[in-house]
Amino acid sequence: MIKVEIGQCLIPELCRKKDITINELAEITGIKKQQLSDYNRMKKVEMTIRTAKRIAEALDCNVEDPYEFKVERH
Protein backbone atom coordinates (compact mmCIF):
# COMPACT_ATOMS: atom_id res chain seq x y z
CA MET A 1 0.00 0.00 0.00
CA ILE A 2 1.19 3.52 -0.77
CA LYS A 3 0.34 6.36 1.61
CA VAL A 4 0.71 9.96 0.41
CA GLU A 5 0.61 12.93 2.75
CA ILE A 6 0.41 16.48 1.43
CA GLY A 7 2.85 18.89 3.01
CA GLN A 8 3.54 22.58 2.61
CA CYS A 9 2.17 24.53 -0.35
CA LEU A 10 5.00 25.73 -2.60
CA ILE A 11 3.01 28.01 -4.92
CA PRO A 12 4.41 31.27 -3.43
CA GLU A 13 7.97 29.95 -3.76
CA LEU A 14 7.35 28.88 -7.35
CA CYS A 15 5.88 32.31 -8.11
CA ARG A 16 8.98 34.03 -6.70
CA LYS A 17 11.19 31.85 -8.91
CA LYS A 18 9.17 32.90 -11.98
CA ASP A 19 9.04 36.51 -10.72
CA ILE A 20 5.25 36.72 -10.77
CA THR A 21 2.76 37.60 -8.07
CA ILE A 22 -0.19 35.57 -6.86
CA ASN A 23 -2.42 38.16 -8.55
CA GLU A 24 -0.61 37.57 -11.85
CA LEU A 25 -0.88 33.80 -11.38
CA ALA A 26 -4.61 34.22 -10.84
CA GLU A 27 -4.91 36.22 -14.07
CA ILE A 28 -2.81 33.77 -16.08
CA THR A 29 -4.62 30.65 -14.85
CA GLY A 30 -8.14 32.02 -14.39
CA ILE A 31 -8.08 30.66 -10.82
CA LYS A 32 -9.44 33.07 -8.23
CA LYS A 33 -6.84 34.75 -6.02
CA GLN A 34 -8.80 33.60 -2.95
CA GLN A 35 -8.59 29.99 -4.07
CA LEU A 36 -4.83 30.28 -4.58
CA SER A 37 -4.57 31.92 -1.16
CA ASP A 38 -6.59 29.06 0.38
CA TYR A 39 -4.12 26.55 -1.08
CA ASN A 40 -1.21 28.55 0.34
CA ARG A 41 -2.78 28.76 3.83
CA MET A 42 -3.64 25.06 3.66
CA LYS A 43 -7.35 25.88 4.08
CA LYS A 44 -7.90 23.99 0.85
CA VAL A 45 -5.35 21.27 0.22
CA GLU A 46 -6.56 19.02 -2.53
CA MET A 47 -6.90 20.49 -6.01
CA THR A 48 -8.17 18.87 -9.15
CA ILE A 49 -5.62 17.61 -11.63
CA ARG A 50 -6.95 20.21 -14.07
CA THR A 51 -6.22 23.02 -11.56
CA ALA A 52 -2.78 21.58 -10.80
CA LYS A 53 -2.02 21.42 -14.53
CA ARG A 54 -3.06 25.06 -15.06
CA ILE A 55 -0.81 26.16 -12.20
CA ALA A 56 2.04 23.97 -13.44
CA GLU A 57 1.78 25.35 -16.98
CA ALA A 58 1.79 28.93 -15.69
CA LEU A 59 4.78 28.29 -13.41
CA ASP A 60 6.62 26.04 -15.88
CA CYS A 61 6.83 23.14 -13.45
CA ASN A 62 5.42 19.62 -12.93
CA VAL A 63 1.89 19.08 -11.61
CA GLU A 64 3.22 17.69 -8.33
CA ASP A 65 5.50 20.69 -7.69
CA PRO A 66 2.96 23.04 -6.02
CA TYR A 67 3.09 20.90 -2.84
CA GLU A 68 5.61 18.94 -0.85
CA PHE A 69 4.64 15.27 -0.61
CA LYS A 70 5.62 12.53 1.79
CA VAL A 71 5.23 9.06 0.28
CA GLU A 72 5.34 5.91 2.37
CA ARG A 73 5.26 2.40 0.97
CA HIS A 74 4.00 -0.40 3.19
Side-chain angles (χ1 to χ4, degrees):
M1 183 172 146
I2 298 174
K3 181 179 177 185
V4 177
E5 291 184 25
I6 299 173
Q8 177 182 351
C9 178
L10 302 174
I11 293 172
E13 182 179 320
L14 294 168
C15 283
R16 279 191 293 278
K17 287 180 181 177
K18 286 293 282 185
D19 197 30
I20 66 171
T21 66
I22 293 293
N23 287 338
E24 290 170 323
L25 181 62
E27 286 181 30
I28 293 165
T29 61
I31 300 168
K32 293 180 181 176
K33 181 185 172 196
Q34 183 62 50
Q35 185 174 348
L36 293 169
S37 181
D38 286 348
Y39 291 136
N40 184 41
R41 290 191 321 256
M42 303 299 285
K43 280 188 162 187
K44 188 172 185 177
V45 178
E46 294 187 21
M47 62 178 71
T48 66
I49 192 69
R50 193 165 288 157
T51 298
K53 183 64 174 166
R54 286 164 49 194
I55 292 170
E57 288 292 322
L59 296 175
D60 193 29
C61 65
N62 295 313
V63 293
E64 66 270 9
D65 290 347
Y67 285 101
E68 290 179 334
F69 291 96
K70 181 179 179 184
V71 179
E72 294 178 15
R73 297 176 190 272
H74 299 277

